[in-house]
Amino acid sequence: MLNASVRGNYAGDTNGAAGTVTVNAGDVKLRAAVTEATFAAGPKFSGLCLSLEKPGSFIIDYDVPRKDVRFQFMNSVRVLDRDLRLTYSHAKGDNRVALDGMLVIDPANKVSANYAFDSGNCRLKYSYTYKGVRTFEPCYDVKKNSWDFAVSQRIYGDDVVRASYQTSSRVLALEWTRASPFSGQFKVAASLNLAEETKIPKLSAESTWNFDM
């Protein structure tokens, strides 16, 4: 099975596109992705990445322009009859090592943590979903000693509205996402930096189309 996806985005005076082709080869997936393609000053393609993935087990990414390798290993264990999902990632070129963990308390409550070994920073997040349609996500950044807050609401089945606020940067954001198995995904976002003197919102739009061949 061959799967492809194309994503286009527009933000102010810039626009770009990204594309991914995935080949299912038994238990593993082979993927080629162009993560950055801009057209503002003529076509420019960069960010080619080749990946080998075994879902739920590992991902190996090779950044062709940077000649960099990134490893990611996933595992899940049972702790007190709860699922603990662990992800270890290592970017060789940047020497970045991180460990992510998520404890699924029940379908509505999740606790997650991210620790970056290079900077020593740790982020803690709690996620609570009310009746499957409204999600609250407070997040604490240990290094910055600051909180981030996000609230999302599902409406009309495939539409999700999400609002977030970062206390350290004072950025307020609002986005609307629509996902459809037929027309792909469409997202419109607006953000406002309350710390700037000229409080002009930044607008962006993004569309993703998926194909099976």
Side-chain angles (χ1 to χ4, degrees):
M1 176 68 71
L2 182 64
N3 308 104
S5 67
V6 178
R7 185 179 74 249
N9 60 76
Y10 174 83
D13 57 349
T14 63
N15 59 80
T20 302
V21 176
T22 304
V23 179
N24 296 320
D27 293 337
V28 299
K29 295 182 179 180
L30 306 176
R31 182 181 297 109
V34 177
T35 57
E36 299 176 12
T38 58
F39 304 91
K44 179 182 178 182
F45 299 91
S46 61
L48 176 61
C49 182
L50 305 177
S51 302
L52 174 65
E53 175 185 358
K54 184 177 181 180
S57 182
F58 67 84
I59 301 175
I60 301 175
D61 295 325
Y62 179 67
D63 190 316
V64 177
R66 299 178 58 191
K67 298 181 180 180
D68 187 17
V69 180
R70 179 177 179 270
F71 302 92
Q72 184 171 312
F73 300 95
M74 297 85 77
N75 200 357
S76 179
V77 296
R78 297 286 290 180
V79 177
L80 299 177
D81 293 329
R82 302 289 189 273
D83 284 331
L84 176 60
R85 303 169 187 173
L86 299 173
T87 301
Y88 171 85
S89 59
H90 181 196
K92 185 177 180 181
D94 297 331
N95 195 28
R96 294 198 313 269
V97 180
L99 180 64
D100 293 87
M102 175 185 289
L103 180 64
V104 182
I105 301 173
D106 55 46
N109 295 272
K110 301 179 181 67
V111 179
S112 60
N114 168 268
Y115 181 77
F117 289 87
D118 54 330
S119 64
N121 189 29
C122 180
R123 290 173 59 87
L124 306 173
K125 184 171 71 173
Y126 170 68
S127 176
Y128 169 68
T129 302
Y130 176 71
K131 293 185 177 180
V133 297
R134 186 176 301 139
T135 302
F136 303 89
E137 293 180 317
C139 179
Y140 178 65
D141 190 308
V142 176
K143 188 173 184 178
K144 295 180 180 179
N145 189 26
S146 64
W147 286 88
D148 298 337
F149 301 93
V151 179
S152 60
Q153 173 73 41
R154 182 175 297 276
I155 54 177
Y156 305 118
D158 296 326
D159 293 43
V160 177
V161 177
R162 185 177 187 270
S164 63
Y165 179 67
Q166 300 176 358
T167 58
S168 60
S169 58
R170 297 186 63 192
V171 172
L172 178 66
L174 180 67
E175 66 180 43
W176 165 59
T177 304
R178 165 170 288 183
S180 170
F182 307 104
S183 58
Q185 179 174 291
F186 180 75
K187 181 172 72 173
V188 178
S191 62
L192 180 65
N193 192 333
L194 301 179
E196 295 180 349
E197 294 184 2
T198 57
K199 296 179 174 58
I200 301 177
K202 297 179 181 179
L203 304 177
S204 64
E206 180 180 293
S207 294
T208 303
W209 299 271
N210 300 312
F211 310 93
D212 292 330
M213 295 176 285

